[in-house]
Amino acid sequence: MSQLLNSLLTEQRRGNLTLAVLSQLRTPQYGYSLVKRLEGSGITIEQSTLYPLLRRLEKKDLVTSSWDTSESRPRKYYVLSDYGEDIFQTLKEEWKKATNELFQLLEEENNEMD
Amino acid sequence: MKWIEVYLQEVERRLPEKNREDILLEIQSTIQDMLPENPSENDVKDVLQELGDPVKLAQGYSEKPMHLIGPRYYDLYISLIKLILPIAITVSLITLLAENIIGNVEETSLIGMILSILGKGLWLILSVGMQVFFWITVIFALIERVDFSSEDEEPTSSRKEWTPEKLKKVSHTPKKRAISQWEVYGAIIWTAIWATVYFHADQLLGIYENQGEGLTYITPALNQDVLLSYWPGIVLVIGLEIALALYKLLKKEWSKDVVWFNTIQELLSIGIFVWIITDERLFQSAFINYISDLFQWNSAQVADGLAWRIAAIFIIFAVWNIIDGFIKYKKGVKKTKLKHEFGK
């Protein structure tokens, strides 16, 4: 039971995580600062998920990366590209629409049960 | 700091070669971000705990598929194995038979010979089966890894979108007209059988005599050098037969095209066969003498008569195959016009 629930939850979260990460990358972020920001909004993401995700986003040209070596230790910064910004806006609108629809659907079901 | 070094090493050896250093540097910098000033050993352990299993972490970066053959090729893979396995086994069994019938002079009893061929045959089936399985798997695993072209796309996006209108182009196949998969497999295996026999004819076709102690191979019937000299014709026939079989597999019914392809293939094949069989050097003279002794005919008559008798059998079969194709096609012509039905 709990294993099934876990895999369903993972599936449900996967798409949302991408959106969450994209939303935080309008200003340059390095890995750990991104984790902190997401945690601040109550979103936990496993680091073993986040870093590979960032690489995939970079490979698809949604984000660009650069090493900052001016500080005491080098950090890899990621930031949304123009293309990534476009994609992010579209995804955001779609997500709002979809959650709205889903919300109403679940509300109706609630009312029927009453 | 030992902990961190070992952790990084565990990640490193599982990372893809390409971005290894870059990825490692990022992880290292992250670990340092997570650690407080002057960390204790427990602090380090906590941080590594949070990063999690190094195997899992490295796996996330993997760009290669984590399976040998994925869903995209699995169906094709299985049907190719099903097709090639029986062909390979048939060909190798006939070859085994050819090599053993002549080679087994010292094996006196018939039962001993049969047992030894049976044993070798079983072993051969096993090893040929393994070879086929192995090589097809290797080839598909390679294709899976080389072909990244449509990896990111949805599997249907490359094709045109499906609409019910497409159903109009697919004709409804009446059962009588349909070509079963087994018919096609049978045809390909038959091609494999006769082609193997053809190239081993001197070892398989001939006179056997029971001289008290099992069968003795007296003389081959055909002159193998003559047979081999016709190889371009034979290769053409084999190519046509396999092309026809694949075309049937594609069309799945006796359509007009299939019927004409079938007719052309039969005519060409029969032409080449008759051409070969009427070659006067084809039959071994020892074989001709044996037959003429047996039936008390004169040997010139035997050579000529035998060739044309065999040719006649081939021609009858070819003509029957052509007619059969047309009959199967005709059976389907009465099919209800689907366009008409759609119109209603």
Side-chain angles (χ1 to χ4, degrees):
Chain A
M1 172 64 192
S2 68
Q3 202 178 354
L4 174 68
L5 194 64
N6 264 340
S7 79
L8 286 173
L9 278 174
T10 313
E11 206 173 307
Q12 199 180 58
R13 286 180 60 212
R14 195 175 294 145
N16 293 350
L17 277 180
T18 310
L19 193 60
V21 168
L22 286 176
S23 75
Q24 298 305 304
L25 286 176
R26 308 177 92 174
T27 53
Q29 300 290 334
Y30 58 93
Y32 195 56
S33 71
L34 197 53
V35 173
K36 284 283 153 214
R37 283 182 78 127
L38 288 172
E39 268 176 9
S41 317
I43 299 172
T44 48
I45 179 166
E46 273 182 52
Q47 314 224 26
S48 61
T49 312
L50 177 66
Y51 300 119
L53 173 64
L54 286 170
R55 301 237 160 209
R56 279 199 294 277
L57 293 176
E58 188 184 4
K59 206 179 164 195
K60 289 173 186 167
D61 297 326
L62 295 174
V63 304
T64 53
S65 73
S66 55
W67 280 97
D68 177 12
T69 46
S70 59
E71 305 250 345
S72 59
R73 56 173 163 270
R75 276 173 179 154
K76 196 173 189 185
Y77 279 86
Y78 295 90
V79 70
L80 217 54
S81 67
D82 289 346
Y83 174 59
E85 175 71 32
D86 288 350
I87 296 277
F88 167 63
Q89 289 303 336
T90 320
L91 274 181
K92 193 170 80 179
E93 291 313 312
E94 285 298 317
W95 191 86
K96 279 183 182 167
K97 217 176 104 204
T99 31
N100 220 345
E101 286 160 359
L102 191 63
F103 183 73
Q104 278 177 13
L105 195 71
L106 297 178
E107 277 297 287
E108 278 169 32
E109 189 242 12
N110 256 351
N111 294 338
E112 275 169 30
M113 277 174 72
D114 290 341
Chain B
M1 281 295 142
K2 211 49 198 233
W3 290 92
I4 296 174
E5 271 168 44
V6 178
Y7 184 89
L8 287 175
Q9 186 192 312
E10 279 293 284
V11 178
E12 182 181 7
R13 61 198 192 94
R14 295 182 172 85
L15 283 178
E17 202 95 20
K18 216 168 77 187
N19 299 317
R20 191 175 275 178
E21 275 175 45
D22 195 72
I23 294 170
L24 222 57
L25 208 59
E26 190 181 13
I27 295 172
Q28 199 170 10
S29 133
T30 305
I31 292 175
Q32 263 146 36
D33 277 331
M34 291 162 81
L35 286 172
E37 301 271 325
N38 304 318
S40 67
E41 194 175 326
N42 273 340
D43 288 334
V44 173
K45 280 206 220 163
D46 283 347
V47 163
L48 294 184
Q49 181 70 59
E50 210 187 320
L51 272 180
D53 188 346
V55 179
K56 236 179 109 188
L57 182 61
Q59 240 171 38
Y61 290 100
S62 165
E63 286 166 10
K64 291 205 179 79
M66 298 294 274
H67 49 244
L68 202 56
I69 293 159
R72 215 146 44 107
Y73 295 109
Y74 186 74
D75 268 348
L76 185 64
Y77 167 71
I78 290 295
S79 50
L80 257 183
I81 283 191
K82 275 189 193 161
L83 179 65
I84 293 177
L85 202 60
I87 292 173
I89 287 176
T90 314
V91 169
S92 46
L93 279 184
I94 296 173
T95 311
L96 173 84
L97 217 59
E99 280 161 2
N100 276 270
I101 283 179
I102 285 202
N104 256 348
V105 190
E106 71 274 18
E107 198 84 56
T108 42
S109 79
L110 188 63
I111 292 175
M113 187 169 126
I114 290 174
L115 279 181
S116 106
I117 291 182
L118 226 70
K120 281 182 190 168
L122 277 178
W123 178 243
L124 197 69
I125 289 174
L126 262 173
S127 54
V128 168
M130 297 294 273
Q131 289 272 339
V132 168
F133 185 68
F134 175 76
W135 287 111
I136 295 180
T137 308
V138 165
I139 289 167
F140 271 85
L142 279 178
I143 293 173
E144 182 77 50
R145 271 145 194 80
V146 171
D147 180 20
F148 286 110
S149 52
S150 51
E151 182 195 33
D152 298 333
E153 296 163 23
E154 286 291 303
T156 47
S157 66
S158 55
R159 291 185 226 141
K160 275 187 197 162
E161 206 168 326
W162 185 87
T163 62
E165 286 296 304
K166 280 202 167 176
L167 288 175
K168 272 189 180 175
K169 285 186 190 155
V170 187
S171 56
H172 178 72
T173 311
K175 265 216 175 110
K176 284 174 183 167
R177 213 176 144 180
I179 298 172
S180 75
Q181 215 178 2
W182 299 115
E183 187 180 334
V184 175
Y185 284 5
I188 294 180
I189 290 172
W190 167 240
T191 305
I193 292 176
W194 73 250
T196 318
V197 172
Y198 184 93
F199 288 107
H200 290 97
D202 58 337
Q203 291 159 306
L204 284 170
L205 306 175
I207 304 281
Y208 300 83
E209 209 169 62
N210 193 346
Q211 293 178 331
E213 295 173 339
L215 285 180
T216 315
Y217 193 66
I218 294 185
T219 171
L222 305 173
N223 195 333
Q224 190 68 43
D225 292 337
V226 176
L227 284 178
L228 291 181
S229 70
Y230 284 99
W231 72 265
I234 292 302
V235 169
L236 179 71
V237 174
I238 293 173
L240 272 174
E241 280 194 5
I242 289 175
L244 176 64
L246 294 180
Y247 192 56
K248 278 173 162 178
L249 200 63
L250 194 76
K251 286 281 174 182
K252 294 190 181 71
E253 64 165 326
W254 285 93
S255 67
K256 210 174 201 173
D257 299 341
V258 172
V259 172
W260 281 114
F261 193 165
N262 182 55
T263 307
I264 292 168
Q265 185 264 323
E266 288 289 348
L267 288 177
L268 242 161
S269 308
I270 200 62
I272 290 172
F273 269 119
V274 170
W275 180 35
I276 295 173
I277 211 162
T278 51
D279 187 317
E280 51 195 20
R281 298 163 302 152
L282 180 63
F283 290 100
Q284 297 273 12
S285 51
F287 175 73
I288 295 294
N289 290 338
Y290 187 92
I291 296 282
S292 53
D293 279 354
L294 197 67
F295 294 104
Q296 306 290 320
W297 292 333
N298 102 32
S299 53
Q301 251 179 329
V302 170
D304 226 30
L306 197 64
W308 281 106
R309 249 165 236 154
I310 297 172
I313 295 172
F314 276 123
I315 291 171
I316 288 169
F317 271 107
V319 169
W320 168 247
N321 278 339
I322 293 172
I323 294 173
D324 188 43
F326 277 100
I327 290 175
K328 279 177 177 151
Y329 171 63
K330 271 279 181 312
K331 273 180 183 162
V333 168
K334 288 176 202 155
K335 66 169 180 172
T336 38
K337 291 278 179 235
L338 227 73
K339 270 182 193 157
H340 196 67
E341 270 182 25
F342 274 121
K344 278 177 191 170

